[in-house]
Amino acid sequence: MPSVSSRGRSGRRMKADINVVPYIDVMLVLLVIFMVTAPLITPGLIQLPSVGAASDVPVKPLEVQISEDGKIALRLREPGATMQDIARPELVAQVRSRITAETPVVIAADGKVPYETVVKVMDELRTNGITRLGLLVDQSAAGTSQPASAKKR
């Protein structure tokens, strides 16, 4: 029943349809408001820890070193300890054989190692029950732009 006839003075018919033009106008005004205000909203900033704020490790940790070409080596971080190259499939077994419940494991990766590689090593160790896990940072390089490898030479 789209229309109703009226028998009054005018012979106009009333429409039962909804007029959507005002709704479209309101939506366009809201769209313009959001388009103008969206670039003004700044995203939140994340406060990352600085290298100088890292604490010293009280126990001598086991260091898992990842070189630029992806090779993995292990050593206990104490004076005179040498790096021992290991294969990636042997990583978990070698780490478990060298640590106790109190020994932390730190990962030291070259700056050119892809982040994905470091995360995969961390994930592999963590899923195999090694929970005392962290990343090794060079505290002596805090506030300088010289890479750590240049200072050791």
Side-chain angles (χ1 to χ4, degrees), residues 48-67:
L48 296 175
S50 65
V51 176
S55 61
D56 291 331
V57 179
V59 183
K60 291 184 171 76
L62 178 68
E63 180 180 345
V64 178
Q65 191 175 61
I66 306 171
S67 63

Side-chain angles (χ1 to χ4, degrees), residues 65-73 85-86:
Q65 191 175 61
I66 306 171
S67 63
E68 183 179 351
D69 55 357
K71 293 182 181 175
I72 297 177
D85 291 336
I86 62 164

Side-chain angles (χ1 to χ4, degrees), residues 14 29 35 51 55 61 63 69 72 74 103 106 117 136-137 142:
M14 291 180 45
V29 168
M35 287 174 59
V51 176
S55 61
E63 180 180 345
D69 55 357
I72 297 177
L74 292 178
T103 308
V106 293
T117 305
L136 185 66
V137 295

Side-chain angles (χ1 to χ4, degrees), residues 2 19-20 32 48 50-51 69 82 87 93 99 102 111 114 117 121 128 149:
N19 189 3
V20 293
V32 169
L48 296 175
S50 65
V51 176
D69 55 357
T82 59
I99 64 171
E102 295 84 28
T117 305
V121 169
N128 286 299
S149 60

Side-chain angles (χ1 to χ4, degrees), residues 9-88:
R9 296 181 191 165
S10 64
R12 293 188 332 184
R13 294 183 180 190
M14 291 180 45
K15 289 187 176 181
D17 296 333
I18 296 175
N19 189 3
V20 293
V21 174
Y23 300 115
I24 294 172
D25 291 341
V26 169
M27 293 305 292
L28 288 174
V29 168
L30 288 174
L31 178 66
V32 169
I33 290 171
F34 286 127
M35 287 174 59
V36 169
T37 58
L40 301 176
I41 300 172
T42 58
L45 298 175
I46 298 172
Q47 296 292 329
L48 296 175
S50 65
V51 176
S55 61
D56 291 331
V57 179
V59 183
K60 291 184 171 76
L62 178 68
E63 180 180 345
V64 178
Q65 191 175 61
I66 306 171
S67 63
E68 183 179 351
D69 55 357
K71 293 182 181 175
I72 297 177
L74 292 178
R75 77 169 175 162
L76 192 60
R77 282 193 56 92
E78 59 186 8
T82 59
M83 292 299 231
Q84 296 175 351
D85 291 336
I86 62 164
R88 178 80 182 261

